Amino acid sequence: MAEIKSARRRVPLGRKVRAGLGALLALLVIVTGVAIALVVNLSQGEARVKDDVPYSTAIASASLDAKSVANDQRGFLLTGDAMYLREADQRVAAARLDFAAAVQAAITDEERSAASDSSAGFERWWTATRAEFATYEAGDKQAAIAASVGADRALRKQYEDSLQQTRSLGQSSLQSATNWLPGSATRAVAILIGCLLVALVAGAVIAYWLLRQITLPIFKLAAMLSAEPL
């Protein structure tokens, strides 16, 4: 009975070698999987930064165009020069393209809604400004100027406040993504180094165990052969 139990406990050398090699292969697969997961995570972070840039850029450009339109408004009301009207029309067209680009580039519903609200506020102010221009060209300069510093100025303040909030939202999202990336990269390197160290130690232990399993029977056989009388 003892011999039977001993035979059951005795594992063939080939099976031990295969088990050891399988363990080494499993370690390689695990480390490779961790490395791939870390790279994918970093790639997603970089993609987030790239996705946030167009939105922030479009909102900043729209803000600049809108301010330029306001300068053209003042220039026309002060001088009556039609050049300001032509420049205002061109900049309004550019601002509309920027707002449309921001809505298209928005990642979240909050960003999309903020860009749409800012665009709508700008359009309300521009409609009122066009009415000022028409009043000025009709000969009532004082009424046009009074409107620009009264109710129409309140409309401009509303869209500028909305635009500032929209810019802050885009910059906050971009800053968050930008700040996340270096920290994530540092953690990824630390995790990967830790996994490699664990794999190295575990691999060394498995390799040592395999070596013993292979060489120990050889040493025993050599000892038996040397002990036999000639």
Side-chain angles (χ1 to χ4, degrees):
M1 181 66 69
E3 292 179 357
I4 294 175
K5 290 182 178 180
S6 176
R8 289 178 179 175
R9 288 195 298 268
R10 191 177 300 119
V11 179
L13 179 60
R15 187 177 298 177
K16 292 180 180 179
V17 172
R18 288 193 297 271
L21 293 176
L24 288 174
L25 180 61
L27 280 174
L28 177 62
V29 171
I30 292 173
V31 172
T32 302
V34 171
I36 292 174
L38 293 174
V39 170
V40 170
N41 190 40
L42 290 176
S43 298
Q44 290 175 343
E46 291 178 355
R48 181 185 169 191
V49 172
K50 292 179 180 178
D51 289 341
D52 281 333
V53 168
Y55 180 82
S56 297
T57 301
I59 290 300
S61 183
S63 177
L64 182 60
D65 289 331
K67 288 181 180 179
S68 297
V69 174
N71 291 334
D72 291 330
Q73 174 204 29
R74 287 191 293 269
F76 177 74
L77 294 179
L78 289 174
T79 67
D81 191 337
M83 175 191 68
Y84 291 107
L85 297 182
R86 293 190 296 270
E87 291 182 351
D89 287 335
Q90 292 174 358
R91 286 164 175 161
V92 167
R96 285 170 175 167
L97 290 176
D98 292 331
F99 280 122
V103 172
Q104 185 66 28
I107 299 176
T108 65
D109 291 339
E110 184 181 11
E111 289 179 347
R112 188 173 298 104
S113 176
S116 298
D117 290 344
S118 296
S119 178
F122 173 76
E123 291 295 343
R124 286 192 295 270
W125 171 78
W126 175 240
T127 298
T129 300
R130 290 295 299 174
E132 293 172 13
F133 295 164
T135 300
Y136 189 101
E137 290 177 321
D140 196 348
K141 299 179 182 180
Q142 294 303 319
I145 294 175
S148 70
V149 297
D152 296 350
R153 184 176 182 180
L155 289 175
R156 179 188 168 193
K157 183 68 165 58
Q158 289 176 3
Y159 95 75
E160 285 181 340
D161 289 344
S162 175
L163 192 55
Q164 180 58 41
Q165 293 174 2
T166 304
R167 288 187 64 184
S168 298
L169 182 64
Q171 290 172 352
S172 176
S173 179
L174 179 59
Q175 188 65 39
S176 175
T178 303
N179 290 340
W180 175 87
L181 198 56
S184 181
T186 301
R187 287 191 298 271
V189 171
I191 292 172
L192 187 57
I193 291 175
C195 289
L196 289 174
L197 289 176
V198 171
L200 182 62
V201 173
V205 172
I206 294 173
Y208 175 75
W209 179 80
L210 279 175
L211 185 63
R212 279 182 57 85
Q213 297 302 314
I214 295 172
T215 58
L216 191 58
I218 296 175
F219 290 153
K220 287 182 178 180
L221 179 60
M224 290 172 59
L225 292 175
S226 63
E228 290 182 359
L230 299 176

